[in-house]
Amino acid sequence: MENFDVIVIGAGHAGIEASLVASRLGLSTLLLTNNLSRIGYMSCNPSIGGLAKGHMVKEIDILGGEMGIAADKNCIQFRRLNASRGPAVRGSRAQCDKDRYCDYMRERVQSCENLSVRELEARELIIDKSVCRGIVTSDGTKIFSKTVVLCAGTFMNAVMHFGLKQVPGGRIGDQATIGISNQLSSLGFKVSRLKTGTPARALKSSIDFSKTKAQVGDDRFIPFSFRSTSKMNLPQVPCFITYTNEKTHEIIRKNLDKSPMFCGVIQGVGPRYCPSIEDKVTRFADKLNHQSFLEPEGLDSELIYIQGMSTSLPEPVQYDFLRTMPGLECVKLVRAGYAVEYDFFEPTQLLPTLETKGVTGLFFAGQINGTSGYEEAAAQGLMAGINAAMKCRENEPVILGRDQAYIGVLIDDLVTKGTKEPYRMMTSRAEHRLVLREDNVLDRLFKVSLDNGLVADDLLRDYERVLSARDLVRRELQDRSVVPSPETQKILSELNSPVLQKPLKFKELLRRDEFSCLKLRAFGFGANYDFDKVLEPVEIEIKYEGYIERQRRLVEQAKAIDNILLPQGLDFERIHGLSREEREKLKKVAPRSLGQASRISGVNPSAVQAIMVHLKAAERAT
């Protein structure tokens, strides 16, 4: 009879992070996958990061996760999105070599201490009196554990749609996961359906790139991971841009009767922010064209990912409309696009730790919680793995606040508000985004890593050195001044900055729009400090100091209400002033704090006041 502390089901982006963090924390961990060759496989776009998503990748890295360093090592094009805009909405994005990324992740999990990796299918959970005790494999073998993390992605009862033809499976080449969602549904879990899709992959040699516009990467590479260097490991390659046109749209419109989405065959809701080309053509009928990026899947790969053209139309129709686009007139498809419909669990059935409310010791992470994207999945997997480990050790759980990390926003949104469509992280979802920047992730999450032993001691020392260097830069900027000497005025004129009328602190000089820490080097400042890790974060902090301070005050106000914890099992029926709808939603979510209660959709400020009055009355009565 085999026993583990943690069993992780599924070796996608969520399962990798969950299993690695649990094993790093010293727990005996088993990672199960249906296909060893597809560990960390990028089923769709071969890229990591983007707006808000890049923030989460950097947060995952500081908490000891693997996604950031894997993306850095296998990056073939780097771009910082929104580089000309404010620091809160900039996002790092790495186009990756798909096969190398997968190989890296497979080697990483297979060589990790305390982690066993097996090609097995989990058919059933062992649940005894609402406690998860392990799993039953497809051959009937029982494997016991203290906790189970379910990371089944888009595979639960999954069906692939190729036009009006349906085939069981979570993606081409991989079978569906059958049994677990039916079992949990029978135990009272709410299970619904979602839909995702992927575009065609084209043969590189069949595309005339001279008719497209090349998009190259940035000269400056900014790694996701503190463990990476600022030099790219692989050469950069360009992507290419092409467009649909009216002829493309006409072909799609004429064939909507062959689309499972438009014939009612697919019942699951698709991703709002990554719609199929059929959706784009019908929902935005006044738009003359839609942009598509032709993205190489790897340095040695002949496959081109036709980004922005997700579809479930039959392959002949895909050929017809793709060949109307510039550069694709003679395109040959290696694999046509298709849609996948799969089961997910309403995430309000989870605690903020990602443990299920209905079954102790069972954690959910990734797309089974209704999210979309590799980064969202990895973030949940990391936190589920951490909290599964903490539960095994009988330690306090790790819960990130909305003011602390985008990961905190993600999980709070899921467990508090739920979702009816694939959830995608965006900067607009974070009310405190000015203090949740990519550049200050270390400041925000270092103590979480330190207090919970999430990273090795040598890496913690590296983190401490960077934080100490930032403190030194802050002090130097505050203490050192420039005086209006002829030499100073000459330097300022050469830098197109107004001359001085009186002595000025370096900190005040840095506040000038045209100034930067790099320009301060003309005055002998900062030459020995790393720009990406030390100087730029401090510069941003100083330039936006007033706005950041204003947001910090709002954060403190929000914390005040979040710190008011609600008694476990609070009877909302006994609270006067709540509507029937508010009572139903409060009972469904069972918020852990007054702040969480205030964020439930449909719970009004008056209801929050009513709960507070009830709590104060109960306190006086005792």
Side-chain angles (χ1 to χ4, degrees):
M1 186 183 296
E2 283 195 288
N3 279 278
F4 291 87
D5 293 316
V6 182
I7 294 176
V8 179
I9 302 171
H13 304 282
I16 286 171
E17 300 295 353
S19 59
L20 285 176
V21 73
S23 58
R24 277 197 307 273
L25 287 168
L27 284 299
S28 60
T29 306
L30 173 64
L31 175 62
L32 299 183
T33 175
N34 289 336
N35 191 338
L36 284 171
S37 67
R38 294 285 186 94
I39 292 173
Y41 188 73
M42 295 182 179
S43 303
C44 204
N45 197 330
S47 71
I48 297 294
L51 301 178
K53 292 169 175 278
H55 293 70
M56 285 194 294
V57 178
K58 293 193 174 222
E59 291 169 355
I60 290 166
D61 179 68
I62 296 301
L63 296 172
E66 202 67 25
M67 177 173 270
I69 195 165
D72 292 340
K73 285 185 179 296
N74 299 289
C75 177
I76 56 176
Q77 188 191 93
F78 173 81
R79 295 184 68 223
R80 175 176 263 190
L81 309 181
N82 280 349
S84 62
R85 299 184 63 188
V89 295
R90 295 171 193 162
S92 299
R93 180 185 186 273
Q95 186 82 15
C96 293
D97 186 303
K98 189 171 185 171
D99 292 335
R100 283 180 169 89
Y101 184 95
C102 191
D103 290 344
Y104 174 90
M105 284 301 200
R106 182 172 58 253
E107 191 280 330
R108 186 70 187 86
V109 297
Q110 289 182 332
S111 63
C112 186
E113 191 178 355
N114 302 319
L115 178 57
S116 300
V117 184
R118 295 187 196 164
E119 194 171 73
L120 283 173
E121 182 184 359
R123 277 291 174 93
E124 188 181 340
L125 301 171
I126 301 171
I127 297 175
D128 177 28
K129 297 177 182 177
S130 298
V131 178
C132 191
R133 305 289 187 186
I135 61 151
V136 182
T137 65
S138 55
D139 65 1
T141 302
K142 291 183 178 181
I143 305 176
F144 294 89
S145 64
K146 296 176 183 175
T147 56
V148 172
V149 184
L150 182 60
C151 309
T154 62
F155 289 80
M156 290 196 306
N157 287 340
V159 176
M160 297 180 288
H161 295 265
F162 305 88
L164 300 181
K165 176 186 174 184
Q166 293 98 49
V167 178
R171 64 183 168 218
I172 288 180
D174 290 308
Q175 62 191 29
T177 298
I178 306 297
I180 291 178
S181 63
N182 294 340
Q183 176 192 12
L184 292 174
S185 177
S186 71
L187 291 174
F189 281 81
K190 184 179 178 183
V191 183
S192 301
R193 299 286 274 176
L194 287 179
K195 169 257 178 189
T196 188
T198 191
R201 271 55 159 195
L203 193 64
K204 185 189 296 183
S205 59
S206 70
I207 299 173
D208 185 352
F209 292 105
S210 68
K211 296 181 179 179
T212 66
K213 179 183 177 184
Q215 183 193 61
V216 297
D218 294 350
D219 293 331
R220 178 187 170 202
F221 173 56
I222 308 169
F224 285 111
S225 176
F226 262 72
R227 292 165 278 175
S228 300
T229 67
S230 57
K231 181 176 168 49
M232 284 187 67
N233 189 47
L234 300 173
Q236 288 217 53
V237 299
C239 296
F240 300 88
I241 302 172
T242 186
Y243 295 88
T244 64
N245 52 59
E246 184 49 41
K247 191 172 181 182
T248 319
H249 302 173
E250 183 183 352
I251 292 170
I252 292 168
R253 283 192 292 264
K254 282 183 177 179
N255 287 280
L256 288 176
D257 61 330
K258 301 178 182 69
S259 168
M261 279 292 291
F262 286 81
C263 294
V265 176
I266 293 178
Q267 299 297 315
V269 181
R272 179 187 300 266
Y273 301 103
C274 189
S276 67
I277 189 62
E278 300 99 291
D279 278 334
K280 290 179 184 178
V281 168
T282 53
R283 284 165 53 190
F284 309 105
D286 57 333
K287 199 168 173 60
L288 299 178
N289 59 53
H290 295 281
Q291 185 173 257
S292 175
F293 290 89
L294 307 178
E295 301 176 337
E297 292 209 337
L299 295 179
D300 307 316
S301 175
E302 283 297 307
L303 299 187
I304 296 293
Y305 178 90
I306 309 178
Q307 196 257 16
M309 303 296 286
S310 292
T311 182
S312 53
L313 285 165
E315 185 172 336
V317 179
Q318 293 184 44
Y319 266 109
D320 288 345
F321 73 70
L322 286 171
R323 286 180 169 173
T324 65
M325 298 168 63
L328 303 181
E329 293 87 351
C330 299
V331 72
K332 292 181 181 178
L333 302 183
V334 179
R335 187 170 77 236
Y338 61 96
V340 180
E341 195 175 15
Y342 57 95
D343 285 353
F344 87 103
F345 298 102
E346 171 57 50
T348 54
Q349 299 171 105
L350 301 174
L351 298 167
T353 59
L354 297 181
E355 185 179 16
T356 66
K357 294 173 181 175
V359 176
T360 300
L362 177 61
F363 294 76
F364 290 168
Q367 287 183 271
I368 63 167
N369 289 338
T371 58
S372 168
Y374 310 143
E375 303 82 3
E376 289 88 344
Q380 293 172 72
L382 180 75
M383 299 311 296
I386 289 171
N387 284 313
M390 295 301 162
K391 190 171 189 72
C392 291
R393 289 178 165 182
E394 299 183 355
N395 289 352
E396 286 296 309
V398 178
I399 299 171
L400 301 177
R402 296 181 68 91
D403 61 304
Q404 210 172 359
Y406 269 87
I407 297 174
V409 175
L410 166 70
I411 293 174
D412 185 65
D413 276 355
L414 291 173
V415 304
T416 303
K417 301 174 183 177
T419 187
K420 302 299 180 187
E421 61 188 42
Y423 177 105
R424 177 178 180 172
M425 179 51 71
M426 298 177 290
T427 53
S428 59
R429 296 192 190 274
E431 65 273 32
H432 305 307
R433 57 186 169 273
L434 193 52
V435 295
L436 297 180
R437 307 182 307 277
E438 277 194 355
D439 62 88
N440 71 346
V441 174
L442 183 59
D443 302 83
R444 294 189 270 121
L445 296 177
F446 168 73
K447 195 170 186 305
V448 178
S449 274
L450 176 67
D451 291 348
N452 295 285
L454 301 182
V455 300
D457 289 343
D458 57 342
L459 188 53
L460 281 175
R461 286 191 289 271
D462 288 344
Y463 289 172
E464 287 171 333
R465 279 192 288 269
V466 171
L467 292 174
S468 295
R470 289 181 186 179
D471 284 339
L472 288 172
V473 168
R474 291 185 189 101
R475 285 200 294 272
E476 193 172 345
L477 287 168
Q478 178 61 44
D479 295 343
R480 288 184 62 182
S481 301
V482 285
V483 295
S485 66
E487 183 184 358
T488 296
Q489 308 296 35
K490 182 175 181 292
I491 292 172
L492 290 172
S493 296
E494 289 172 351
L495 295 175
N496 295 317
S497 188
V499 297
L500 299 183
Q501 304 302 319
K502 60 181 182 180
L504 201 64
K505 297 279 189 187
F506 274 17
K507 183 176 180 179
E508 297 306 318
L509 192 59
L510 188 58
R511 291 186 196 277
R512 292 184 175 185
D513 290 341
E514 72 281 1
F515 242 87
S516 67
C517 279
L518 292 179
K519 288 186 176 181
L520 277 177
R521 286 179 176 172
F523 298 99
F525 170 83
N528 298 322
Y529 295 112
D530 181 279
F531 179 75
D532 292 338
K533 292 181 178 178
V534 178
L535 293 179
E536 186 179 47
V538 176
E539 178 181 316
I540 289 170
E541 183 183 296
I542 287 171
K543 283 184 176 290
Y544 291 85
E545 190 172 38
Y547 298 104
I548 292 170
E549 183 54 38
R550 187 186 306 166
Q551 188 142 107
R552 280 192 178 130
R553 288 197 293 270
L554 294 174
V555 167
E556 291 306 313
Q557 292 172 18
K559 274 185 177 177
I561 190 171
D562 260 322
N563 288 336
I564 301 175
L565 299 180
L566 302 183
Q568 195 169 7
L570 178 62
D571 186 359
F572 293 103
E573 292 291 342
R574 296 179 56 198
I575 299 177
H576 298 293
L578 300 181
S579 69
R580 182 176 295 277
E581 179 191 2
E582 287 166 338
R583 286 193 174 96
E584 288 173 358
K585 290 187 173 181
L586 287 162
K587 283 192 287 186
K588 178 183 175 183
V589 174
R592 60 190 293 272
S593 71
L594 197 59
Q596 188 184 3
S598 72
R599 294 189 292 274
I600 298 172
S601 300
V603 173
N604 297 310
S606 59
V608 176
Q609 289 293 326
I611 297 170
M612 191 178 291
V613 168
H614 177 84
L615 293 175
K616 287 181 177 177
E619 187 179 339
R620 285 195 298 271
T622 57

